[in-house]
Amino acid sequence: MNLYGGFDVLKQIKSFIAKETVLCIAAACAILTMFLVPPDREYWGYIDFRVLCLLLCLMAVVAGFKSVGAFQWLTYQLLRRIRNGRILGITLVLLPFFCSMFVTNDVALLVFIPFTLPLLAQLGCARATVPLIVLQTIAANLGSMATPVGNPQNLFLYAAYEMSAADFFSVTLPLTAVSLVCLIAAAYPVLPKALPEQQLENGEISGVGKLLIYAGLFVVCMLTVFRVVPYQATTVLICAVLMVVDRTLLQEIDFMLLITFVCFFVVSENLGRVDAIRDFLQLLLTRSTLLTAVGTSQIISNVPAAVLLSGFTDRWRDMLAGVNIGGLGTPIASLASLITLKLYMRWPGANVMRFLWIFTMANLIGLAVLLLFTIML
């Protein structure tokens, strides 16, 4: 390999690390824990294949909805009727809030942030860009906690603790209701009441037949989440259908996310086999599962926090509430928040310091309100 070839390889490695930072950190942590617990036969039991298969299926179906323009159509139908800036601001925040319940918080942000940025520029409301996309990010993180499929940590905990639907919703729906009220109040003053005429790009469904197929597959996914249909059958069905309908959708699956989860499983299980670490975590969780889950999420994000801590406590209510509330706070508390930051940094005239300041203040306020509400319940 010549010198230029070596530089090219280094550039590719640097690009991969920048793109998949979380995966690289998770992989490095997994390797480090292997020095504490050398690989053995128990490693195979670390992997929760049900969670991985459900994530794969949901990502594939959501890619199908995006491919036929379902999200663009929904956005167009809602926004073309709005002429009041106050209502528009609330609508833009509530779109990711409700959509994240079914398509996950990161997908909701990938859909609505790129739509919001040019729309606000077109309306001459550039100053409101940062507050609004921050609220959209918070909305996606909070809306996603309402359902088992809204985010990866819910999907994992729902399976790990073998919750019933009643158990799950008894924790998440009160928090979701409070979040909805707070988000509406916060979004109301962001945009001025009077807005210029909006020129929205028409959103159309490109294939009604495909849309119905993807809707049917989504129903199968939901039945699988609630353990009506075996996950093995669902995985085979969805992969087979997509191979016939549109095999390119399989390329849209974020396999790096699945590998990241595998690394999280290895880290959490290995740490659980180290006596000193296990005793320390059990001590913290005994004192307050809720606060431990919230605090851990601020440092390693709520998905790996759920995977790591769930093995040390049976207090599933506090764990479920803690990792969802813990998605607020630092930029890494929820990995979906980094999506907004990346998209905003690419926008002309982006002010990253202003974004981080408003993001941090808004998240800390939201975290305090929901934490206080949870403690009072």
Side-chain angles (χ1 to χ4, degrees), residues 231-268:
Y231 77 88
Q232 300 93 332
T234 299
T235 305
V236 172
L237 172 65
I238 288 180
C239 291
V241 171
L242 293 184
M243 285 294 291
V244 175
V245 177
D246 187 354
R247 65 182 60 189
T248 62
L249 295 178
L250 296 175
Q251 301 173 11
E252 299 296 320
I253 296 173
D254 188 354
F255 289 101
M256 294 299 103
L257 176 61
L258 301 180
I259 297 174
T260 302
F261 258 76
V262 172
C263 294
F264 287 154
F265 291 142
V266 172
V267 171
S268 61

Side-chain angles (χ1 to χ4, degrees), residues 218-356:
F218 183 76
V219 171
V220 174
C221 286
M222 294 297 294
L223 292 175
T224 305
V225 169
F226 293 108
R227 302 185 186 88
V228 177
V229 179
Y231 77 88
Q232 300 93 332
T234 299
T235 305
V236 172
L237 172 65
I238 288 180
C239 291
V241 171
L242 293 184
M243 285 294 291
V244 175
V245 177
D246 187 354
R247 65 182 60 189
T248 62
L249 295 178
L250 296 175
Q251 301 173 11
E252 299 296 320
I253 296 173
D254 188 354
F255 289 101
M256 294 299 103
L257 176 61
L258 301 180
I259 297 174
T260 302
F261 258 76
V262 172
C263 294
F264 287 154
F265 291 142
V266 172
V267 171
S268 61
E269 293 292 338
N270 277 343
L271 291 178
R273 293 172 65 183
V274 178
D275 292 338
I277 296 176
R278 182 174 63 250
D279 293 342
F280 177 69
L281 289 175
Q282 286 177 335
L283 175 63
L284 292 178
L285 290 167
T286 299
R287 292 181 176 179
S288 177
T289 300
L290 176 66
L291 294 180
T292 301
V294 171
T296 306
S297 297
Q298 304 307 304
I299 302 171
I300 64 174
S301 87
N302 52 6
V303 176
V307 177
L308 174 62
L309 298 177
S310 60
F312 300 102
T313 180
D314 57 0
R315 297 178 181 177
W316 58 269
R317 298 183 68 89
D318 286 342
M319 180 61 63
L320 180 61
V323 294
N324 277 292
I325 295 173
L328 301 181
T330 65
I332 64 171
S334 172
L335 300 180
S337 300
L338 299 178
I339 293 175
T340 300
L341 179 57
K342 285 184 177 181
L343 293 173
Y344 175 68
M345 288 175 64
R346 298 173 186 169
W347 188 248
N351 187 333
V352 177
M353 293 306 297
R354 181 169 182 262
F355 174 90
L356 291 175

Side-chain angles (χ1 to χ4, degrees), residues 6-314:
F7 281 132
D8 187 56
V9 171
L10 290 175
K11 185 177 180 180
Q12 292 179 7
I13 294 174
K14 182 179 179 180
S15 175
F16 178 82
I17 293 175
K19 182 179 179 181
E20 302 293 344
T21 304
V22 177
L23 169 59
C24 293
I25 294 174
C29 291
I31 294 172
L32 289 175
T33 62
M34 289 179 183
F35 290 99
L36 300 175
V37 182
D40 55 22
R41 293 181 179 179
E42 292 189 34
Y43 270 55
W44 185 253
Y46 290 178
I47 313 303
D48 191 329
F49 291 101
R50 183 176 187 273
V51 169
L52 293 180
C53 287
L54 279 172
L55 280 174
L56 183 149
C57 293
L58 286 167
M59 286 189 286
V61 173
V62 168
F65 283 129
K66 290 177 64 178
S67 69
V68 297
F71 299 123
Q72 291 83 354
W73 177 84
L74 175 62
T75 303
Y76 173 76
Q77 294 301 320
L78 289 172
L79 297 185
R80 72 188 181 91
R81 297 177 173 86
I82 299 175
R83 296 294 181 267
N84 185 299
R86 308 293 193 193
I87 303 302
L88 177 60
I90 294 173
T91 302
L92 289 173
V93 170
L94 295 189
L95 279 172
F97 179 81
F98 287 109
C99 287
S100 65
M101 297 179 184
F102 306 101
V103 300
T104 75
N105 47 357
D106 53 351
V107 172
L109 293 173
L110 285 170
V111 171
F112 293 112
I113 296 297
F115 173 84
T116 301
L117 290 171
L119 175 62
L120 293 182
Q122 177 181 332
L123 294 175
C125 300
R127 187 67 182 171
T129 297
V130 171
L132 196 51
I133 64 174
V134 165
L135 287 176
Q136 285 183 313
T137 306
I138 295 174
N141 286 329
L142 294 179
S144 66
M145 72 178 167
T147 65
V149 298
N151 53 52
Q153 69 267 19
N154 279 1
L155 191 61
F156 172 78
L157 292 176
Y158 189 86
Y161 286 113
E162 298 183 350
M163 301 179 197
S164 67
D167 290 337
F168 180 89
F169 291 123
S170 68
V171 175
T172 61
L173 290 187
L175 289 171
T176 304
V178 172
S179 300
L180 177 61
V181 173
C182 293
L183 285 167
I184 292 175
Y188 181 80
V190 174
L191 292 178
K193 183 176 182 179
L195 290 175
E197 187 72 19
Q198 302 171 38
Q199 298 296 325
L200 298 175
E201 182 179 349
N202 190 12
E204 297 180 352
I205 302 295
S206 60
V208 177
K210 287 185 177 181
L211 176 64
L212 293 177
I213 292 174
Y214 301 141
L217 293 178
F218 183 76
V219 171
V220 174
C221 286
M222 294 297 294
L223 292 175
T224 305
V225 169
F226 293 108
R227 302 185 186 88
V228 177
V229 179
Y231 77 88
Q232 300 93 332
T234 299
T235 305
V236 172
L237 172 65
I238 288 180
C239 291
V241 171
L242 293 184
M243 285 294 291
V244 175
V245 177
D246 187 354
R247 65 182 60 189
T248 62
L249 295 178
L250 296 175
Q251 301 173 11
E252 299 296 320
I253 296 173
D254 188 354
F255 289 101
M256 294 299 103
L257 176 61
L258 301 180
I259 297 174
T260 302
F261 258 76
V262 172
C263 294
F264 287 154
F265 291 142
V266 172
V267 171
S268 61
E269 293 292 338
N270 277 343
L271 291 178
R273 293 172 65 183
V274 178
D275 292 338
I277 296 176
R278 182 174 63 250
D279 293 342
F280 177 69
L281 289 175
Q282 286 177 335
L283 175 63
L284 292 178
L285 290 167
T286 299
R287 292 181 176 179
S288 177
T289 300
L290 176 66
L291 294 180
T292 301
V294 171
T296 306
S297 297
Q298 304 307 304
I299 302 171
I300 64 174
S301 87
N302 52 6
V303 176
V307 177
L308 174 62
L309 298 177
S310 60
F312 300 102
T313 180
D314 57 0

